[in-house]
């Protein structure tokens, strides 16, 4: 085999191996119920990945002068368990970051808030938590309804969609009308404030099929719409990232992986919802970042 072919095959095997490990993980859930509502202060990193560690941490009290602390004074001493393939959104209404689920050797379903004003973490523990052991899902902040929308992820079913409302600390599962997107993970999603919709792009399905379809969910209409822009369109991909450009009212998509040649993509695309069109912004690839996947935006 030529050197170039061997290189592409090696990268393909790396991508498949990494994703397969995520999609086949079925380890038990870390139960957060015993520590719901606790407040923690950031500290040095610790081994936080096992249920035993979490349970042990709840036995630590902030004890000082005065009477014995009440249950509301129990405190965790370090951040949430280490994880990857989780989601995070900024809740502008409550000035906090919401971190949900992910994987840490096991799939997690815990929901945490980091509150910058007090430099503290809080395990939210909604009473009706749906028990979603998700990784590779997406979450967006719906500013029109002050809610977090969670879609897809490994172990999700076709069209799985949930909303979390910080004001009431309650989860809800919308039942949208019409056809829903296929099951997927490691896709992207952004919130389009101009049309008050969540826009979902790409990802990888349960049979390892990659996608480049575009869907929009409207909370006001409680419905999904497949947008079906005309070519040109980005290559099917997963592990990419997308952000919303509020000035030009467009979604920007960069990078990711495609499994056919084991390549890390380095192209940049813009999707304009009003015109329902894609524009390739890649230009001179040598002048831009190298291809990559699973990066921060």
């Amino acid at each position: 085999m030529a050197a170039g072919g061997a290189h592409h095959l090696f990268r393909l095997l790396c991508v498949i191996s990494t994703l397969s490990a995520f999609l086949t993980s079925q380890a038990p859930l870390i139960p957060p119920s015993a520590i719901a509502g606790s407040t923690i202060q950031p500290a040095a990193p610790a081994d936080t990945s096992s249920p035993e560690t979490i349970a042990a941490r709840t036995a630590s009290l902030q004890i000082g002068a005065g009477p014995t602390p009440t249950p509301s004074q129990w405190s965790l001493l370090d951040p949430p368990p280490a994880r990857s393939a989780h989601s995070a959104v900024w809740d502008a209404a409550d000035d906090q970051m919401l971190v949900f689920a992910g994987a840490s050797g096991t799939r997690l379903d815990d929901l945490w808030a980091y509150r910058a004003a007090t430099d503290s973490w809080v395990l939210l523990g909604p009473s009706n938590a749906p028990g979603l052991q998700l990784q590779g899902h997406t979450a967006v902040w719906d500013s029109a309804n002050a809610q977090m929308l969670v879609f897809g992820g490994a172990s999700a079913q076709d069209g799985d969609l949930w909303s979390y409302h910080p004001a009431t600390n309650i989860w809800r599962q919308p039942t949208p009308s019409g056809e829903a997107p296929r099951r997927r993970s490691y896709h992207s999603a952004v919130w389009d404030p101009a049309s008050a919709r969540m826009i979902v792009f790409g990802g990888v399905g349960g049979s390892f099929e990659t996608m480049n379809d575009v869907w929009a969910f409207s909370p006001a209409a409680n419905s999904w719409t497949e947008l079906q822009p005309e070519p040109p369109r980005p290559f099917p991909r997963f592990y990419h990232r997308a952000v919303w450009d509020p000035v030009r009212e467009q979604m920007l998509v960069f990078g990711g992986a495609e499994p056919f040649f084991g390549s890390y993509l380095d192209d940049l695309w813009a999707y304009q919802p009003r015109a329902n069109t894609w524009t390739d912004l890649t230009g001179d690839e040598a002048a831009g970042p190298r291809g990559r996947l699973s990066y921060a935006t």
Side-chain angles (χ1 to χ4, degrees):
M1 180 182 295
H7 176 67
H8 284 306
L9 178 59
F10 174 75
R11 295 176 69 180
L12 172 59
L13 291 175
C14 289
V15 170
I16 293 175
S17 175
T18 300
L19 186 61
S20 297
F22 280 132
L23 297 179
T24 58
S25 172
Q26 296 293 339
L29 171 68
I30 292 178
S33 57
I35 52 176
S38 299
T39 302
I40 66 176
Q41 301 298 327
D47 179 7
T48 59
S49 61
S50 70
E52 293 79 6
T53 302
I54 293 179
R57 295 201 317 248
T58 64
S60 180
L61 284 171
Q62 291 181 331
I63 299 176
T68 302
T70 65
S72 64
Q73 293 173 295
W74 285 80
S75 176
L76 294 174
L77 301 182
D78 50 2
R83 67 194 62 205
S84 62
H86 52 287
S87 62
V89 302
W90 180 252
D91 168 5
D94 299 292
D95 194 32
Q96 62 184 359
M97 176 176 66
L98 300 174
V99 175
F100 175 60
S104 181
T106 63
R107 287 180 183 162
L108 308 173
D109 77 339
D110 49 350
L111 175 62
W112 293 80
Y114 173 73
R115 294 169 179 167
T118 56
D119 191 23
S120 63
W121 286 96
V122 177
L123 178 60
L124 297 174
S127 59
N128 70 332
L132 297 172
Q133 301 179 44
L134 295 179
Q135 62 187 88
H137 56 288
T138 52
V140 302
W141 179 250
D142 169 1
S143 55
N145 300 285
Q147 63 181 350
M148 176 176 70
L149 297 174
V150 175
F151 172 70
S155 80
Q157 302 302 311
D158 286 356
D160 262 8
L161 176 67
W162 290 82
S163 63
Y164 172 71
H165 303 257
T168 56
N169 196 27
I170 288 176
W171 284 96
R172 296 190 180 97
Q173 186 173 25
T175 54
S177 60
E179 183 182 0
R182 285 182 292 165
R183 172 186 176 186
R184 69 192 64 205
S185 56
Y186 303 100
H187 50 286
S188 63
V190 301
W191 177 254
D192 171 5
S195 62
R197 299 185 299 177
M198 174 176 68
I199 299 178
V200 174
F201 168 67
V204 60
S207 300
F208 204 64
E209 73 279 14
T210 50
M211 310 174 202
N212 66 345
D213 50 349
V214 184
W215 290 80
F217 171 70
S218 167
N222 193 30
S223 64
W224 283 104
T225 303
E226 185 174 9
L227 298 176
Q228 298 180 314
E230 295 294 327
R233 292 187 290 262
F235 199 79
R237 67 193 62 209
F238 60 103
Y239 274 131
H240 55 284
R241 292 293 184 266
V243 298
W244 180 254
D245 171 1
V247 175
R248 297 165 186 82
E249 295 187 352
Q250 62 184 0
M251 175 177 70
L252 297 174
V253 174
F254 176 75
E258 55 81 24
F260 301 105
F261 302 102
S263 299
Y264 297 163
L265 300 169
D266 62 358
D267 51 347
L268 174 64
W269 289 80
Y271 173 71
Q272 294 87 18
R274 290 186 183 275
N276 194 26
T277 58
W278 283 102
T279 302
D280 187 352
L281 303 178
T282 306
D284 182 4
E285 295 185 7
R290 289 185 297 171
R292 65 196 64 199
L293 53 81
S294 197
Y295 55 93
T297 53

